[in-house]
Amino acid sequence: MDETHRILKGKYPAKAHAAKVVNYLKSKVPNVNGVIYLEGQKTRMIEDNDEEIPFRQRRYFYYLSGCNVPDCYLAYNIEKSHLTLFIPPIEPDSVIWSGLPLSPNEALKIYDVDDVRSSAEVNTYLAAKDSGAGDVWAIQEQVSDHITFLNFEKKNLTLLKDAIEECRVTKDEYEIALIRKANSISTIAHTAVLKAAKTAKNERELEAVFIERCIANGAREQAYHPIVASGENGATLHYGKNADDLEGQSNLLLDAGGEYNCYTSDITRTFPINGKFTEESQQIYHIVMKMQEGCIEMLKAGVLWDDVHAHAHEVAIEGLLNIGILKGNKVDIFKNRTSVAFFPHGLGHYLGMDTHDTGGHANYKDTDSMYKYLRVRGNLPAGSVITVEPGIYFCKFIIEPYLKDPVHKEFIDKEILDRYWYVGGVRIEDNILVTEGGSENLTTAPKELNDVLAIINS
């Protein structure tokens, strides 16, 4: 049994997360007391239809419960450190269709909670004197109309959301194991796509290969809609059509990750569909690899993410100067932000229960084009998991205004640039655990060029 499997044999640490959230609340409100109250996602129906919308558990609820069942509730008594989970009762009319629901005894064995009750008892619990009275901490617009907080002196519907979002930034060993497992499954799927690339006729065939391998290996859900972009489609960052023919296209950008027990992976690989890169594509691939390698080397607790992102641009500028797409002084190119034409997005984002996980404090109002779309601002703490996903793209809609700008056009050689439009985009993305002294790459999907080509041509 490997270490990841050993860790995941245990219970999701819901009570430790509850205690962590309480400590955050105490940092803002020293005399915090009362009850934390959260609701899971409800069963919802498709509009004008009698089918259910695919279920996705609320992440705030899951963080304090580990329960991926719809129509549940939880209450955490702060003074007693006592966590109660409320699950749906048996409804005889639904048993014939859906079978028996989870029982309280079964739930106690599965989840890290102190008590399990029927969801019909939520208001009774909240009204009881031994619930702790004091204050109730909940999330605005995530409290059902039938729930009453009359027993509590005050209700705070703002701070709890912030507390959970900040606590989610640093992961414990169980969460890291879940992300590692999601990455492991996604590696199988990415490798299967490489093997299928030469014979596939259409982007959607490769999307199907990826999703099938994820489901077969335990990741029933995708962390996000896969991006399967051939040729110039790779210049669209969140391309979603996944339906174009592969004939005549040089490269494929595959940005896809499976989700395992509500924890995500987010992996991007770019490769030649026929098993051999063109000269231009290989040049760009090597630049992006160098961007990623340099950025990963910088990672350790306390590093300023802005600096890591800036380093990616510096490496990109150096590489694009070497192949002639950019010209002039590299300091001036960086100062004028001309490289944003080719690398317009942020270097990465926190990863966890959400692909773009919480706590990044992005500033989309930043007037500096280099940092405007950076999803994480500030210093990275040990225990955070962040994506490192540099890329170089040849998107005409983005680049052509730079070619008309009196400042930027002096730094771009259009004649050389015209040889690269077909490359589309090259992005390489891994999921990195930040540690005190450095980092650990949780992503094992092949990316070294010789390894990638060997799989495609096997």
Side-chain angles (χ1 to χ4, degrees), residues 252-254 267-270 427-430 443 445-447:
L252 189 103
L253 187 155
L254 175 64
I267 304 169
T268 306
R269 295 293 184 259
T270 310
R427 181 165 67 251
I428 304 171
E429 176 181 17
D430 291 342
T443 303
K447 65 177 176 179

Side-chain angles (χ1 to χ4, degrees), residues 151-169:
N151 190 43
F152 297 94
E153 297 171 9
K154 298 177 184 177
K155 60 180 179 181
N156 187 309
L157 302 180
T158 56
L159 188 55
L160 178 60
K161 184 175 184 288
D162 292 342
I164 296 175
E165 289 182 351
E166 294 302 320
C167 288
R168 283 169 53 182
V169 171

Side-chain angles (χ1 to χ4, degrees), residues 261-295:
N261 287 2
C262 293
Y263 278 76
T264 63
S265 59
D266 186 358
I267 304 169
T268 306
R269 295 293 184 259
T270 310
F271 56 87
I273 296 170
N274 68 358
K276 184 179 180 181
F277 263 140
T278 63
E279 179 183 0
E280 292 84 4
S281 295
Q282 186 161 317
Q283 288 173 337
I284 301 303
Y285 192 87
H286 285 316
I287 294 170
V288 176
M289 276 287 284
K290 192 172 181 181
M291 291 165 70
Q292 195 200 43
E293 290 167 353
C295 291

Side-chain angles (χ1 to χ4, degrees), residues 210-422:
F210 187 89
I211 293 174
E212 186 274 333
R213 285 292 81 199
C214 283
I215 293 174
N217 287 279
R220 290 192 58 86
E221 309 298 335
Q222 292 295 291
Y224 50 95
H225 182 73
I227 298 166
V228 188
S230 61
E232 293 188 19
N233 294 334
T236 300
L237 301 184
H238 285 174
Y239 173 77
K241 183 181 176 183
N242 298 353
D244 281 2
D245 291 336
L246 300 179
E247 185 177 0
Q249 304 297 345
S250 293
N251 307 321
L252 189 103
L253 187 155
L254 175 64
D255 185 339
E259 176 182 304
Y260 184 77
N261 287 2
C262 293
Y263 278 76
T264 63
S265 59
D266 186 358
I267 304 169
T268 306
R269 295 293 184 259
T270 310
F271 56 87
I273 296 170
N274 68 358
K276 184 179 180 181
F277 263 140
T278 63
E279 179 183 0
E280 292 84 4
S281 295
Q282 186 161 317
Q283 288 173 337
I284 301 303
Y285 192 87
H286 285 316
I287 294 170
V288 176
M289 276 287 284
K290 192 172 181 181
M291 291 165 70
Q292 195 200 43
E293 290 167 353
C295 291
I296 291 175
E297 286 178 6
M298 293 177 68
L299 296 188
K300 62 180 179 179
V303 69
L304 182 64
W305 188 240
D306 284 30
D307 291 345
V308 185
H309 178 70
H311 180 72
H313 274 274
E314 291 168 348
V315 176
I317 291 168
E318 189 78 41
L320 293 174
L321 280 169
N322 288 340
I323 63 176
I325 291 177
L326 292 180
K327 59 184 180 178
N329 182 277
K330 63 183 180 182
V331 174
D332 292 335
I333 294 170
F334 182 89
K335 180 180 177 181
N336 285 285
R337 305 310 199 222
T338 306
S339 57
V340 174
F342 302 94
F343 178 29
H345 62 79
L347 179 63
H349 48 81
Y350 285 139
L351 186 76
M353 285 188 282
D354 291 314
T355 305
H356 298 153
D357 213 29
T358 59
H361 302 291
N363 178 16
Y364 299 123
K365 295 182 180 180
D366 197 327
T367 56
D368 189 329
S369 62
M370 184 174 288
Y371 299 102
K372 181 178 181 179
Y373 297 117
L374 198 57
R375 296 183 188 272
V376 174
R377 306 300 293 267
N379 305 94
L380 305 185
S384 60
V385 177
I386 196 161
T387 66
V388 179
E389 49 179 304
I392 291 177
Y393 311 87
F394 298 93
C395 177
K396 291 181 180 179
F397 182 82
I398 294 175
I399 295 174
E400 285 179 346
Y402 284 76
L403 298 174
K404 298 174 183 177
D405 183 272
V407 174
H408 292 299
K409 71 178 184 180
E410 297 302 316
F411 298 120
I412 302 173
D413 189 318
K414 187 178 183 304
E415 184 176 346
I416 294 179
L417 171 63
D418 284 342
R419 306 203 318 252
Y420 288 82
W421 295 114
Y422 78 93

Side-chain angles (χ1 to χ4, degrees), residues 150-213:
L150 298 178
N151 190 43
F152 297 94
E153 297 171 9
K154 298 177 184 177
K155 60 180 179 181
N156 187 309
L157 302 180
T158 56
L159 188 55
L160 178 60
K161 184 175 184 288
D162 292 342
I164 296 175
E165 289 182 351
E166 294 302 320
C167 288
R168 283 169 53 182
V169 171
T170 55
K171 275 69 177 178
D172 52 48
E173 71 167 7
Y174 198 97
E175 293 177 285
I176 293 167
L178 287 169
I179 297 172
R180 196 187 302 274
K181 179 69 173 179
N183 266 271
S184 176
I185 294 170
S186 297
T187 291
I188 295 171
H190 270 272
T191 304
V193 171
L194 291 176
K195 293 179 178 179
K198 267 190 166 183
T199 57
K201 304 298 183 185
N202 190 283
E203 292 168 347
R204 64 174 170 266
E205 291 182 44
L206 297 180
E207 179 181 19
V209 169
F210 187 89
I211 293 174
E212 186 274 333
R213 285 292 81 199

